[in-house]
Each structure stands twice: as C-alpha cells, then as structure tokens.
C-alpha cells in the first residue's frame, strides 16, 4: 500500500471493523498507514451525517456571521482555558501569524475547577467553553455538543484499533486517558481569502494522540501533509470522510512507530469566491500528569522492524511539541497553547508568558 514517500492520502473504510474477517484487513491497512504516512481519510463512520450536514451548511456560516460584538463577548482572552473566539491574526505558529478566525470549544467540564495554592497551573487548562448566546444562534450549542460526543466516542474506539495495529491488546492506549473529568479540544475555523500571506496555519505537528478533521468546504484544497522526502502533498476534501492524523504524544509512546506527520494549511487563493471552513477535533484529554517519555510502550519486534524499514523521520518544517521529552502532558499542553495565543497567556499565566516571550508580546499577539 502506501509508502513513506506517499503522493496521495489513503482512505480506510471504517465499516470493515464491524465484521471479524474484514476487521483484520482494516487493522493491517491501518498498520501500514500509521507507520508510513501518518494521515488518512476515514469513510463510513457512525457520526450522524445529518448532524454534519447541519453543522457545515447552517451552523458554521451563521456562527461566523454573528455580529462582531457577540463574537468579542466570548473572546478567548477571557478564558484561562484558552477557549473562545480569536479574531483573524491573533494566533501564531512558529512565531508567524496564522490567517484564520476561529472559535475554540472543549468537551465537558461545565464547572470551573477550583485550584488551591500549590496545585499545578496546568490543571487550569480544563474548564467551561464559551458559547454564543442561545437567542443569537438557537440550537447551535446542543448540536455541536452532540457532534463532539459522537466524535469523542469514535476517537476512543479508533484508538483501540491503533493499539491493535501496533500488535498490542486493544485497551493498551486507554491507559493515557483514565481521568474521568477531562477535556478534548475542538475548533471551528474560517480561512478567509486574504492578501497578507498564504499561511492559513504554518507547518506544525499536532500534540494530541489523534486528530479528527472535518473539512467543511468541499470546494477548497489547502490542507497539506509532508512526506519523508519533505514534499508537501495535498489533502483535498473528500466527501463523507474525516481526515485523521497522529500527534507527537503518540509518536513518543510508540517509539516512533506511529508517524506524527507535519502539516499546514494554505489560505484560499486570491481568486477564490468563498472562505475555507474546517472543524478539527483533537483527542487531547490525556491524563495531565502523564510523562510520555517515561511511558514508552513495549512493541513487538516485527512491528519495530516495519518502522526501521520505513527509515528515519527527516527534519521537517515542524518543530513543535518537543517538550514531551521532559514535561508532563498538562504542562506541554499549556505551553503549546501559550505559544499559539500569547495574549491569553499574558493575562492568565504571566510567568509562563515571560518564559516563552522574554522580549514581550510578539507583534501580532496583542490582546484586543
Ligand atoms: O484546518 C485544517 O484543515 C487543519 C488545521 C490544523 O492542522 C490544526 O488546527 O491543527
Ligand atoms: Fe494540525
């Protein structure tokens, strides 16, 4: 199947997992993909198609069409949990502006967690989301929460398939997700046609073990993944699929068997008539105290051999999340969020901000 110098992204059919014979075929395809590509389309998932259609065609355009003052009312700078609305130009990747407007939402965590003196600051990364007023966007909160619940279940089931593809018992990776009250992060993103630069999102790795991406504008390319030769390969929207990719935490615990693949988004070209919308869901609610570098899994030699045959992962243009080599997952998450959103960090985590930005606020990270 796919090789490490992939030119296209493979599609896996989730319905194969329903039957024991075809399930084995699925697991073997998944094994090749996690080792060599680190990106796939997943078709025939149980996530409700009507729900997705409503989200794409009704909710998302209305969400971005809200009056600016209602969006600013729920701005991310209000939230120590890095949840809420970010205007265009408020987010950085590798210190450069990402030209996207977005809402960040978390799953669960309706209540604020009350921290006591001495509790680690990163416990505060979980907390309530900020939703627009119900009157302004009737039904949106309920619909999006249902969507997130369905994708969370899919992600948790998919993680078991990954364990099996690694030649391990299905529940092996569940050990990193034991805490009851955890939060997964999702975003609803708009990449407008714009003139400043083509950086929709700069080259990066994701941190969470799994990302489930809904490409919500069928007419737009833009997402690209980097193969072993360093070439940027298009990941165009494919109807009725999710794009799945794997993050640095999973790469660490699997001794590099699973590829965390560098990716980026190009903003729509100037002759586009429409913006590009997407909805990434990060299976990010790992136990905050986990040190992934100390939790490396014992992987059967025949699987390690496949990794070695793939070859060494090259330097890519992505550099982020190397902190997993020495920090607990909660700290890595906090630092990652603070680098992307310095204005939020300055307000809620001033000492983290000072460490990361000793020369003060980067040009475009100023709180509005
Ligand atoms: O919008 C997309 O298609 C991907 C976004 C992404 O890679 C991210 O937010 O981590
Ligand atoms: Fe990403």
């Amino acid at each position: 199947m796919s090789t490490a110098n992939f030119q296209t992204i493979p599609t896996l059919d989730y319905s194969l997992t329903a039957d024991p014979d075809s399930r084995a075929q699925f697991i073997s395809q998944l094994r090749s993909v996690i080792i060599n590509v680190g990106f796939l389309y997943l078709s025939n998932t149980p996530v409700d198609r009507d729900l997705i259609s409503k989200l794409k065609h009704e909710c998302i355009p209305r969400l971005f069409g809200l009056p600016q003052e209602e969006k600013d009312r729920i701005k991310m700078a209000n939230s120590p949990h890095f949840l809420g609305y970010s205007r265009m130009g408020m987010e950085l990747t590798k210190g450069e502006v990402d030209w996207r407007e977005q809402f960040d939402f978390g799953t669960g965590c309706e209540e604020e967690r009350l921290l006591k003196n001495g509790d680690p600051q990163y416990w505060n990364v979980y907390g309530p989301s900020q939703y627009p007023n119900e009157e302004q966007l009737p039904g949106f909160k309920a619909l999006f929460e249902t969507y997130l619940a369905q994708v969370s279940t899919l992600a948790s089931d998919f993680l078991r398939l990954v364990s099996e593809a690694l030649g391990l018992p299905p529940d092996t990776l569940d050990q990193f997700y034991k805490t009851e009250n955890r939060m997964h992060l999702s975003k609803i993103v708009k990449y407008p046609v714009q003139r400043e630069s083509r950086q929709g999102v700069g080259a990066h790795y994701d941190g969470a073990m799994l990302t489930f991406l809904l490409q919500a504008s069928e007419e737009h390319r833009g997402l690209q993944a980097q193969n072993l030769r360093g070439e940027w390969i298009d990941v165009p929207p494919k109807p009725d699929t999710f794009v799945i990719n794997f993050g640095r935490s999973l790469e660490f615990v699997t001794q590099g068997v699973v590829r965390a693949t560098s990716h980026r988004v190009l903003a729509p070209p100037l002759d586009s008539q429409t913006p590009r919308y997407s909805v990434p869901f990060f299976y990010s609610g790992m136990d905050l105290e986990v040190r992934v570098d100390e939790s490396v899994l014992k992987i059967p030699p025949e699987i390690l051999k496949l990794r070695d045959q793939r070859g060494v992962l090259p330097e890519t243009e992505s550099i982020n999340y190397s902190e997993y080599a020495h920090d607990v997952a909660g700290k890595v998450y906090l630092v990652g969020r603070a680098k992307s959103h310095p204005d939020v960090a300055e307000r809620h985590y001033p000492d983290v901000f000072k460490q990361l930005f000793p020369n003060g606020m980067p040009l475009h990270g100023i709180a509005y």
Side-chain angles (χ1 to χ4, degrees), residues 91 100 102 187 189 191 201 204 206 211 213 215 223 245 263-265 276 278-280 282:
E91 192 191 19
R100 59 180 188 174
Q102 63 188 334
K187 293 168 182 284
V189 192
Y191 299 89
V201 187
H204 67 280
D206 291 343
T211 302
L213 175 74
Q215 301 206 72
L223 179 61
N245 64 279
H263 57 286
R264 69 180 182 187
V265 177
R276 173 177 183 270
S278 71
V279 187
F282 305 101

Side-chain angles (χ1 to χ4, degrees), residues 159 162 166 173 176-177 205-211 245-261 282-287 290-297 320-325 327-330 332-333:
L159 197 65
V162 172
L166 291 166
L173 288 162
F176 300 108
Y177 292 85
Y205 298 113
D206 291 343
M209 292 204 167
L210 303 176
T211 302
N245 64 279
F246 306 93
R248 291 283 272 161
S249 51
L250 189 56
E251 191 177 74
F252 264 95
V253 299
T254 62
Q255 306 183 41
V257 172
V258 180
R259 268 198 80 177
T261 298
F282 305 101
Y283 197 54
S284 53
M286 254 171 73
D287 297 345
V290 165
R291 280 273 303 261
V292 292
D293 59 318
E294 290 171 357
S295 312
V296 171
L297 301 172
N320 54 328
Y321 289 119
S322 51
E323 296 89 356
Y324 278 121
D327 278 325
V328 293
V332 179
Y333 183 82

